[in-house]
Amino acid sequence: MPEQAILVIGATGKSGRRVVNRLRAERLPVRAAARNGEHRFDWTDSGTWDAALEGARSVYIVQLDGTKLVRPFVERAVTHGVRRIVLASGRGIDDPGYANDSGGTLEGLLDSEAAVRESGLEWTISRPGWFAQNFSEGFFADAVRAGELRLPAGDGAASFVDAEDIAAVVVAALTKDGHAGQTYELSGPRAVTLAEAAATISEAAGREVRYVPLSVEDYVAELVRQGLSPTDAAAFADVVEPLRKGRDAYVSDGVQRALARPPRSFAEFAESTAAAGAWSA
Ligand SMILES: NC(=O)c1ccc[n+]([C@@H]2O[C@H](COP(=O)([O-])OP(=O)(O)OC[C@H]3O[C@@H](n4cnc5c(N)ncnc54)[C@H](OP(=O)(O)O)[C@@H]3O)[C@@H](O)[C@H]2O)c1
């Protein structure tokens, strides 16, 4: 890999894939790493770390939630001469009331942020709220395609952020000066309820998607009937809890601060996603 190459970990995921595409569009040298990526990298196999880091000068890190592997990985990166790190984190991780952290995700993200800040490298932290792409390639995608979003989210809202904006911020931090030492909290321009999100997607996709609010108990029971263990079903309910409580409804200025432009709206996300055929039958 050439000098100044950029390592992207989580290169097949929602943010990493878009980061890779944007870097390549700028003709920058990229190592796209994941277990099933162009370059094989596995967080749980530290024997794959050195080959990923060799020759890299900048790294975008999407971590394995529920672990504390970023700290040893960053130490390894320092020995390889990496100079700049951009870490994927999340909004709300330092708010003790944000969510029930049964999987240790928030604790892991906090440790990763501390490791990056203490690394002595140039660092930038991306802290997005709920991704709009959860409706098209994440948690809610299958339900949207089936036409019915059955969730214990009440009339809660979130300021969903478009992963294209996340990727644009990450690429700016990886490739331009002026972002070192910044923690960018990222959101869309306003809060959107689940009912509004379903209506916006329905209009963009040209077919009906309904939001059906469920109680937590009914949601967990449905998931268990679908074959999930009670523990996993409860963990999914925990993930939705911040939505129900409106904890992600606030708007953050990270996109504006990093890119000097406003974030994309949920309607823009829905229109471009529908145009790309993500919700076609
Ligand atoms: N989704 C949201 O709304 C949201 C909001 C705020 C923060 N976050 C945080 O953002 C991060 C997720 O980012 P994302 O949505 O861009 O990713 P993502 O779409 O969840 O994709 C995860 C990426 O990690 C790779 N991966 C999974 N297990 C791996 C392993 N053992 N070793 C190496 N690579 C592995 C996957 O590829 P392979 O399977 O090929 O390895 C994939 O490229 C998480 O830390 C999450 O907590 C998410």
Side-chain angles (χ1 to χ4, degrees), residues 14 17-18 132-150 197-198 201-202 205-211 269 273-274 276-281:
K14 289 183 283 299
R17 195 175 71 248
R18 291 173 169 85
Q133 275 74 6
N134 287 320
F135 293 92
S136 54
E137 50 194 273
F139 196 24
F140 307 147
D142 288 343
V144 170
R145 269 181 219 107
E148 204 165 72
L149 261 171
R150 302 171 65 80
I201 292 169
S202 300
R207 61 186 186 80
E208 198 192 1
V209 180
R210 293 193 321 134
Y211 167 55
F269 150 75
T273 302
W279 293 309
S280 303

Coordinates of all heavy atoms in Angstrom, one line a residue, residues 14 17-18 132-150 197-198 201-202 205-211 269 273-274 276-281:
K14 N -22.5 0.4 6.9 CA -23.3 1.6 6.5 C -22.5 2.9 6.3 O -22.6 3.6 5.4 CB -24.4 1.9 7.5 CG -25.5 0.8 7.4 CD -26.7 1.1 8.4 CE -26.4 0.8 9.8 NZ -26.1 -0.6 10.1
R17 N -18.7 1.8 4.0 CA -18.8 1.6 2.6 C -18.8 3.0 1.9 O -18.2 3.2 0.9 CB -20.1 0.8 2.3 CG -20.1 0.3 0.9 CD -21.3 -0.6 0.7 NE -22.6 0.2 0.6 CZ -23.5 0.1 1.6 NH1 -23.4 -0.7 2.6 NH2 -24.6 0.8 1.5
R18 N -19.6 3.9 2.5 CA -19.7 5.3 1.9 C -18.4 6.0 2.1 O -18.0 6.8 1.2 CB -20.8 6.0 2.6 CG -22.2 5.4 2.2 CD -23.3 6.0 3.0 NE -24.6 5.6 2.4 CZ -25.2 4.5 2.7 NH1 -24.7 3.6 3.6 NH2 -26.4 4.1 2.2
A132 N -30.4 7.3 9.5 CA -31.6 7.2 8.6 C -31.6 5.8 7.9 O -32.6 5.2 7.7 CB -31.7 8.3 7.6
Q133 N -30.4 5.3 7.6 CA -30.2 4.1 6.9 C -30.6 2.8 7.7 O -30.7 1.7 7.2 CB -28.8 3.9 6.4 CG -28.4 4.6 5.1 CD -28.3 6.1 5.2 OE1 -28.4 6.7 6.3 NE2 -28.2 6.8 4.1
N134 N -31.0 3.0 9.0 CA -31.6 1.9 9.7 C -32.9 1.5 9.0 O -33.3 0.3 9.2 CB -31.9 2.3 11.2 CG -30.6 2.4 12.0 OD1 -29.7 1.5 11.8 ND2 -30.5 3.4 12.8
F135 N -33.5 2.4 8.3 CA -34.8 2.1 7.6 C -34.5 1.4 6.2 O -35.5 0.9 5.6 CB -35.6 3.4 7.3 CG -36.1 4.0 8.6 CD1 -35.4 5.0 9.2 CD2 -37.3 3.6 9.1 CE1 -35.9 5.6 10.4 CE2 -37.8 4.2 10.3 CZ -37.1 5.2 10.9
S136 N -33.3 1.4 5.7 CA -33.1 0.9 4.4 C -32.0 -0.3 4.4 O -32.1 -1.1 3.5 CB -32.6 2.0 3.4 OG -31.5 2.6 4.0
E137 N -31.1 -0.3 5.3 CA -30.1 -1.4 5.3 C -29.8 -1.8 6.7 O -28.8 -2.6 6.9 CB -28.9 -1.0 4.5 CG -28.3 0.4 4.9 CD -27.3 0.9 4.0 OE1 -26.1 0.5 4.1 OE2 -27.6 1.7 3.1
G138 N -30.5 -1.4 7.7 CA -30.2 -1.7 9.1 C -31.4 -2.4 9.8 O -32.2 -3.1 9.2
F139 N -31.5 -2.1 11.1 CA -32.4 -2.7 12.0 C -33.9 -2.8 11.5 O -34.5 -3.8 11.7 CB -32.3 -1.7 13.2 CG -32.9 -2.2 14.5 CD1 -33.0 -3.5 14.8 CD2 -33.3 -1.3 15.5 CE1 -33.5 -4.0 16.0 CE2 -33.8 -1.7 16.7 CZ -33.9 -3.0 16.9
F140 N -34.3 -1.7 10.8 CA -35.8 -1.7 10.5 C -36.0 -2.1 9.0 O -37.1 -2.0 8.5 CB -36.3 -0.2 10.6 CG -36.1 0.4 12.0 CD1 -36.0 1.7 12.1 CD2 -36.2 -0.4 13.1 CE1 -35.8 2.3 13.3 CE2 -36.0 0.2 14.4 CZ -35.8 1.5 14.5
A141 N -35.0 -2.4 8.3 CA -35.1 -2.5 6.8 C -36.1 -3.6 6.4 O -36.9 -3.3 5.5 CB -33.7 -2.8 6.2
D142 N -36.0 -4.7 7.0 CA -36.9 -5.8 6.6 C -38.4 -5.4 6.9 O -39.3 -5.7 6.0 CB -36.6 -7.1 7.4 CG -35.3 -7.7 6.9 OD1 -34.8 -7.3 5.8 OD2 -34.7 -8.6 7.6
A143 N -38.6 -4.8 8.0 CA -40.0 -4.4 8.4 C -40.5 -3.3 7.3 O -41.7 -3.4 6.9 CB -40.0 -3.8 9.8
V144 N -39.6 -2.4 6.9 CA -40.1 -1.4 5.9 C -40.4 -2.1 4.6 O -41.5 -1.8 4.0 CB -38.9 -0.4 5.7 CG1 -39.3 0.5 4.5 CG2 -38.8 0.5 7.0
R145 N -39.6 -3.1 4.2 CA -39.9 -3.8 3.0 C -41.2 -4.6 3.1 O -41.9 -4.7 2.2 CB -38.7 -4.7 2.6 CG -37.7 -4.0 1.7 CD -36.6 -4.9 1.3 NE -35.4 -4.0 1.4 CZ -34.5 -4.1 2.3 NH1 -34.5 -5.0 3.2 NH2 -33.5 -3.2 2.2
A146 N -41.5 -5.1 4.3 CA -42.7 -5.8 4.5 C -43.9 -4.9 4.7 O -45.1 -5.4 4.7 CB -42.6 -6.7 5.8
G147 N -43.7 -3.6 4.8 CA -44.8 -2.6 4.8 C -45.3 -2.3 6.2 O -46.2 -1.5 6.3
E148 N -44.7 -2.8 7.2 CA -45.2 -2.6 8.6 C -44.1 -2.5 9.6 O -43.4 -3.5 9.8 CB -46.2 -3.7 9.0 CG -47.2 -3.2 10.0 CD -48.4 -4.1 10.2 OE1 -48.2 -5.2 10.7 OE2 -49.5 -3.8 9.7
L149 N -43.9 -1.3 10.2 CA -42.9 -1.1 11.3 C -43.6 -1.3 12.6 O -44.3 -0.4 13.1 CB -42.4 0.3 11.2 CG -41.1 0.6 10.5 CD1 -41.0 2.1 10.3 CD2 -39.9 0.0 11.2
R150 N -43.4 -2.5 13.3 CA -44.0 -2.7 14.5 C -43.0 -2.6 15.6 O -42.1 -3.4 15.8 CB -44.6 -4.2 14.5 CG -45.6 -4.4 13.4 CD -46.0 -5.9 13.3 NE -46.7 -6.4 14.5 CZ -47.9 -6.2 14.7 NH1 -48.7 -5.5 13.8 NH2 -48.5 -6.7 15.8
A197 N -41.7 9.2 9.6 CA -40.7 8.5 8.8 C -41.4 7.5 7.9 O -41.1 7.4 6.7 CB -39.7 7.8 9.8
A198 N -42.4 6.7 8.4 CA -43.1 5.8 7.6 C -43.9 6.5 6.5 O -43.8 6.0 5.3 CB -44.1 5.0 8.5
I201 N -41.3 7.7 3.8 CA -40.8 6.6 3.0 C -41.9 6.1 2.1 O -41.7 5.8 0.9 CB -40.3 5.4 3.9 CG1 -39.1 5.9 4.7 CG2 -40.1 4.2 3.1 CD1 -38.6 4.9 5.8
S202 N -43.2 6.0 2.6 CA -44.3 5.6 1.7 C -44.4 6.5 0.5 O -44.5 6.0 -0.6 CB -45.6 5.7 2.5 OG -45.6 4.9 3.6
A205 N -41.3 5.9 -1.8 CA -41.2 4.6 -2.4 C -42.4 4.2 -3.2 O -42.4 3.3 -4.0 CB -41.0 3.5 -1.3
G206 N -43.5 5.0 -3.0 CA -44.7 4.8 -3.9 C -45.5 3.6 -3.4 O -46.2 3.0 -4.2
R207 N -45.3 3.2 -2.1 CA -46.2 2.2 -1.6 C -46.3 2.3 -0.1 O -45.4 3.0 0.6 CB -45.6 0.8 -1.9 CG -44.3 0.5 -1.4 CD -43.7 -0.8 -1.9 NE -42.5 -1.1 -1.3 CZ -42.4 -1.7 -0.1 NH1 -43.4 -1.9 0.6 NH2 -41.2 -1.9 0.4
E208 N -47.3 1.8 0.5 CA -47.6 2.1 1.9 C -46.7 1.4 2.9 O -46.5 0.1 2.8 CB -49.1 1.8 2.3 CG -49.5 2.5 3.5 CD -50.8 2.0 4.2 OE1 -51.4 1.1 3.6 OE2 -51.1 2.6 5.2
V209 N -46.1 2.1 3.8 CA -45.4 1.6 5.0 C -46.1 2.2 6.2 O -46.2 3.4 6.3 CB -43.9 2.0 4.9 CG1 -43.2 1.4 6.1 CG2 -43.2 1.5 3.6
R210 N -46.6 1.3 7.1 CA -47.3 1.7 8.3 C -46.4 1.6 9.5 O -45.6 0.7 9.6 CB -48.6 0.9 8.5 CG -49.6 1.1 7.5 CD -50.9 0.5 7.9 NE -50.8 -0.8 8.6 CZ -51.5 -1.1 9.8 NH1 -52.2 -0.2 10.3 NH2 -51.3 -2.2 10.4
Y211 N -46.6 2.5 10.4 CA -46.0 2.4 11.8 C -47.0 1.9 12.7 O -48.1 2.5 12.9 CB -45.4 3.7 12.2 CG -45.0 3.7 13.7 CD1 -44.1 2.7 14.2 CD2 -45.5 4.7 14.6 CE1 -43.8 2.7 15.6 CE2 -45.1 4.7 15.9 CZ -44.3 3.7 16.4 OH -44.0 3.7 17.7
F269 N -33.1 11.9 2.2 CA -32.6 10.5 2.4 C -33.6 9.5 1.7 O -33.2 8.6 1.0 CB -32.5 10.1 3.9 CG -32.7 8.7 4.2 CD1 -31.7 7.7 3.8 CD2 -33.9 8.2 4.7 CE1 -32.0 6.4 4.1 CE2 -34.1 6.9 5.0 CZ -33.2 6.0 4.6
T273 N -32.9 7.2 -1.5 CA -32.8 5.7 -1.2 C -33.9 5.0 -2.1 O -33.6 3.9 -2.7 CB -33.1 5.5 0.2 OG1 -32.1 6.2 1.0 CG2 -33.0 4.0 0.6
A274 N -35.0 5.6 -2.3 CA -36.1 5.0 -3.1 C -35.6 5.0 -4.6 O -35.7 4.0 -5.3 CB -37.4 5.8 -3.0
A276 N -32.7 4.7 -5.6 CA -31.6 3.7 -5.8 C -32.2 2.3 -5.7 O -31.5 1.3 -5.9 CB -30.6 3.9 -4.7
G277 N -33.5 2.2 -5.5 CA -34.2 0.9 -5.5 C -34.2 0.1 -4.3 O -34.6 -1.1 -4.2
A278 N -33.8 0.7 -3.1 CA -33.6 0.0 -1.9 C -34.9 -0.6 -1.4 O -34.9 -1.6 -0.6 CB -33.0 0.9 -0.8
W279 N -36.1 0.0 -1.7 CA -37.3 -0.5 -1.2 C -38.2 -1.1 -2.3 O -39.4 -1.3 -2.0 CB -38.1 0.7 -0.5 CG -37.4 1.2 0.8 CD1 -36.9 0.4 1.8 CD2 -37.1 2.6 1.1 NE1 -36.4 1.2 2.8 CE2 -36.4 2.5 2.3 CE3 -37.3 3.8 0.4 CZ2 -36.0 3.7 3.0 CZ3 -36.8 4.9 1.1 CH2 -36.2 4.9 2.3
S280 N -37.6 -1.4 -3.4 CA -38.4 -1.9 -4.5 C -38.7 -3.4 -4.1 O -37.9 -4.0 -3.4 CB -37.6 -1.9 -5.8 OG -37.2 -0.6 -6.1
A281 N -39.9 -3.9 -4.6 CA -40.3 -5.2 -4.3 C -39.3 -6.2 -4.9 O -38.7 -6.0 -5.9 CB -41.7 -5.5 -4.8

